[in-house]
Amino acid sequence: MPVTAPRFGAAAVIRLLLITTTLLGTLLAGAAPASAHAALTGSDPKDGAVVATAPKHITLTFSEKIALGNDSIRVLEPSGKRSDTGEVRDMSSGSVVQYGVPLHTGLPDGTYTVAWQAVSADSHPISGAFTFSIGAPSKTTVALPEEPAGGGLVGTLYGIARYTSYAGFILLVGGGAFVLACWQRGAGERPLQRLVVQGWITLTASTLAMLLLRAPYTGSGKLADAFDLSGLKAVLDTKTGASLVSRLLLLGAAALFVAVLFGAYAKRDDPAEKKDLTFGLALGGGVMAAGIAATWALSEHASTGLQPAVAMPVDVIHLLAVATWLGGLAALLVALYRVPTIERTAVRNFSRVAFASVAVLAATGIYQSWRQVGSWSALTGTAYGQLLLVKIALVAVLVGIAWISRRWTGRLAERAIAEEEGEEAAEATAVGEETAEEPEPVTVPEDPARAAQLARQKAAVATARVKRVRDADPGRLGLRRSVLTEAAVAVVLLAVTTVLTSTEPGRTEEKEAGKSETSTAAPTGLVKVRLPFDTGGEDGKGTARIELDPARSGGNTLHVWLERPNGRAMDAPEVKVAFTHNAKEIGPLPAAPDRIATGHWSATAVQIPMPGTWEIEVTVRTSDIDQVTVKKNVKIG
């Protein structure tokens, strides 16, 4: 039995969903880029080190393989002049990923800045900077960029393109699957045709945008460089560039699939022939969809880290299940709002397909969660784990709403449908009889405009009557509303998933934190302290990162870094440090560090008279009136 779908207000609802999708994509893409999979784990010289003589080269050690260009590591003198040769050397050995750059001879004493930028194996840009000093620390004129790699306008546009590419893939694959597996008659319906075609156009346009933006996204950050042919050529030689080009080629095959689905297939009436064509389209479409999904799996998180040979096919299956569920949901929503009638069997078929998709999502999601998180502490204590919890909660909400939708589907009573059809037929008959009883006018009406207005009013009245009949079934209304709610939650879920793909996995983040703690507890006696502060004024929140080396009685080297909540360097007019031994009533002993770079202060020969528990007191002033003092006890000696 067909279920008549109400069409009143459909355009407004669809527009609202599209606007919501765009806004979420913009907001999430505009957020500061999260750390990617690879991270700097060490350097020689170390951050903040003071060396007696100039080193011959600078080496950087990373957690995983990265891609570097000849200008990816820059070493700058206090005056801002380049002091490296610009030739990046791969010094990796075994499991150690290390790169270096030679320095010029005869370098003067002072504080040097090392700035680096690279692309991690999972396609995300990473960057950073640190300082070291030759002879003694000094002031430096080097100003590091405020925007991290992958930030700014280019980062925002790339993030939007990433989001819309996922949305286009879901509409293309899920819409096609809905037609073939749930409602084959829908191949002839214009609204569904437009939905799938729009998915293809969105995915194609987003892929082209990502291909053009890739060079400035991982390099200069300048939008004008998107049209630099040399940059585009360099992108094509990378793993991500090859994946994007492969996706475009597969989308060419997808265009043929869409043409056949909504052309020859929609017009085919013979059941036997249509059955054979359904099998062929399902097979070809499945291979095409898997190929497109693989372009993500081969270039992002699944391709690096633990068990990539297993993770990549699991990621492909996961993406296909997401597209089948959420894309089919979008197709059902469009059918309920824009198509005059839809068989109840189609709704039931989609309910079964959605249930199978959720089961696949659960199985593949558990594996992915274990692989990327690895522990309960990483699940709750890392950005990736917290986002994953949000995603799990949204999926649970979707499943709950889907259960409500299944109940409304069961309430679509045969009697109510039959009564509705009878009433619609009666309405149509009444309108026809009314029209037939009206005598044909012998002469042209005196006022054609008035006649046209009366005809429009009569059509509006007839439409309103039909709408009242359509809205009389509470089961249909409930189904429409629950599916609309599912679609709204799915938009948010897709946004969270997009951010998750660009966030450093919890397993990696926790591993790096463990290395940092091991380094802090090393026998060198180096003490590292982090003190959050808030001066109460504008731009007054941040964290003071303090290092005292070798953290024992006698002379020590003190370093203070100020960081904003987003991790960027923060400058301040004044930073003061003092040490107090409360048990012995010694101090406070002041230390006046000098500013040597943006957000970095240092002092040498800081005298600690005896070992014990000392209170480190840091005073930060961000304006003439905004100042705060924070304290923490540390073990020295």
Side-chain angles (χ1 to χ4, degrees):
M1 282 292 182
V3 177
T4 306
R7 289 188 289 181
F8 182 76
V13 173
I14 300 301
R15 282 196 297 270
L16 178 61
L17 282 175
L18 291 175
I19 291 171
T20 304
T21 302
T22 304
L23 287 176
L24 281 169
T26 303
L27 290 173
L28 289 167
S35 299
H37 207 150
L40 182 70
T41 58
S43 64
D44 185 18
K46 295 181 179 179
D47 185 10
V50 179
V51 296
T53 58
K56 293 183 179 180
H57 55 263
I58 302 296
T59 60
L60 305 180
T61 305
F62 294 89
S63 60
E64 293 187 0
K65 278 288 184 181
I66 58 171
L68 288 172
N70 283 335
D71 203 37
S72 295
I73 302 177
R74 296 179 298 134
V75 184
L76 306 174
E77 296 181 6
S79 63
K81 180 183 175 182
R82 286 284 293 268
S83 57
D84 63 277
T85 64
E87 179 188 357
V88 177
R89 298 176 179 176
D90 187 351
M91 306 171 69
S92 302
S93 176
S95 61
V96 177
V97 179
Q98 190 174 80
Y99 292 86
V101 58
L103 300 181
H104 294 302
T105 58
L107 296 178
D109 289 352
T111 296
Y112 287 72
T113 302
V114 180
W116 56 272
Q117 184 168 333
V119 179
S120 67
D122 56 3
S123 80
H124 303 303
I126 55 176
S127 63
F130 64 90
T131 61
F132 71 95
S133 300
I134 299 175
S138 68
K139 292 186 178 180
T140 177
T141 61
V142 176
L144 298 176
E146 288 288 326
E147 289 290 346
L153 176 60
V154 170
T156 299
L157 294 176
Y158 195 87
I160 293 174
R162 184 194 298 272
Y163 178 86
T164 53
S165 66
Y166 280 118
F169 175 74
I170 285 172
L171 294 180
L172 172 63
V173 175
F178 179 82
V179 170
L180 289 173
C182 304
W183 193 36
Q184 296 177 7
R185 186 175 69 82
E189 298 292 345
R190 284 294 180 86
L192 282 181
Q193 294 176 0
R194 284 195 293 268
L195 178 74
V196 175
V197 170
Q198 287 169 359
W200 183 90
I201 293 173
T202 301
L203 179 54
T204 303
S206 300
T207 303
L208 284 170
M210 292 172 68
L211 191 60
L212 292 174
L213 291 170
R214 184 68 188 173
Y217 174 65
T218 59
S220 66
K222 298 177 181 178
L223 185 59
D225 289 346
F227 304 99
D228 182 5
L229 294 181
S230 61
L232 180 60
K233 183 177 181 299
V235 167
L236 296 179
D237 293 333
T238 65
K239 182 173 65 174
T240 302
S243 295
L244 292 174
V245 171
S246 299
R247 190 181 304 167
L248 289 174
L249 294 175
L250 287 167
L251 284 169
L256 179 61
F257 167 83
V258 172
V260 174
L261 179 64
F262 298 135
Y265 183 78
K267 297 174 183 178
R268 195 66 55 92
D269 294 326
D270 182 48
E273 293 182 359
K274 195 160 190 175
K275 183 178 180 180
D276 293 337
L277 190 53
T278 300
F279 176 78
L281 283 173
L283 181 62
V287 172
M288 172 207 70
I292 296 176
T295 61
W296 277 288
L298 290 170
S299 62
E300 297 196 349
H301 283 162
S303 63
T304 62
L306 189 66
Q307 300 178 350
V310 177
M312 286 189 285
V314 168
D315 194 53
V316 169
I317 295 171
H318 189 82
L319 284 171
L320 291 177
V322 170
T324 303
W325 181 22
L326 300 187
L329 184 67
L332 178 60
L333 180 66
V334 168
L336 287 172
Y337 274 96
R338 303 302 298 272
V339 179
T341 60
I342 177 174
E343 287 79 11
R344 186 172 57 176
T345 54
V347 181
R348 288 181 171 176
N349 289 339
F350 173 70
S351 181
R352 288 191 288 267
V353 169
F355 179 81
S357 298
V358 171
V360 173
L361 279 174
T364 55
I366 289 173
Y367 171 77
Q368 288 180 327
S369 300
W370 167 80
R371 180 177 177 270
Q372 301 289 13
V373 178
S375 66
W376 290 109
S377 59
L379 184 64
T380 57
T382 65
Y384 188 96
Q386 292 162 3
L387 278 172
L388 183 60
L389 289 175
V390 173
K391 179 181 177 180
I392 293 171
L394 288 171
V395 171
V397 170
L398 263 180
V399 171
I401 300 172
W403 178 77
I404 296 174
S405 298
R406 286 173 64 91
R407 294 187 62 190
W408 283 120
T409 302
R411 293 180 183 181
L412 294 175
E414 298 283 352
R415 179 179 176 183
I417 296 171
E419 290 177 355
E420 175 187 319
E421 290 178 342
E423 290 178 15
E424 288 184 14
E427 290 287 344
T429 303
V431 172
E433 291 176 352
E434 184 178 348
T435 304
E437 290 173 359
E438 293 180 358
E440 290 290 335
V442 179
T443 58
V444 177
E446 296 180 1
D447 188 357
R450 176 60 177 167
Q453 182 181 12
L454 290 173
R456 288 194 298 270
Q457 291 175 348
K458 185 177 294 184
V461 170
T463 300
R465 289 174 181 171
V466 173
K467 180 184 180 300
R468 284 196 300 271
V469 173
R470 288 171 175 167
D471 291 349
D473 183 6
R476 188 180 310 109
L477 286 176
L479 178 61
R480 183 187 65 180
R481 290 167 183 166
S482 63
V483 170
L484 179 60
T485 305
E486 281 186 80
V489 176
V491 168
V492 181
L493 174 63
L494 180 59
V496 173
T497 302
T498 304
V499 177
L500 200 63
T501 61
S502 60
T503 302
E504 181 180 22
R507 184 188 290 270
T508 304
E509 184 177 341
E510 194 173 61
K511 182 179 179 181
E512 292 166 11
K515 287 182 178 179
S516 176
E517 291 174 3
T518 302
S519 175
T520 303
T524 60
L526 176 67
V527 166
K528 295 182 180 181
V529 179
R530 297 180 67 89
L531 295 174
F533 64 85
D534 184 359
T535 63
E538 183 178 357
D539 196 23
K541 290 185 178 180
T543 301
R545 184 162 57 90
I546 303 159
E547 287 188 7
L548 188 67
D549 188 16
R552 62 189 179 193
S553 57
N556 292 266
T557 299
L558 173 69
H559 290 280
V560 180
W561 291 271
L562 296 188
E563 299 174 349
R564 290 187 171 89
N566 59 12
R568 299 175 189 170
M570 176 182 182
D571 247 342
E574 185 179 27
V575 174
K576 295 187 294 185
V577 181
F579 295 86
T580 303
H581 197 309
N582 292 310
K584 299 293 185 179
E585 297 183 353
I586 301 175
L589 305 177
D594 296 321
R595 181 185 180 278
I596 61 173
T598 303
H600 184 191
W601 289 258
S602 179
T604 57
V606 175
Q607 294 296 322
I608 303 297
M610 62 183 300
T613 300
W614 289 80
E615 180 183 76
I616 297 182
E617 179 182 285
V618 181
T619 300
V620 180
R621 179 171 63 84
T622 55
S623 71
D624 292 338
I625 59 174
D626 298 314
Q627 177 176 302
V628 70
T629 298
V630 289
K631 305 175 182 179
K632 187 169 185 178
N633 291 331
V634 298
K635 184 74 173 177
I636 298 178

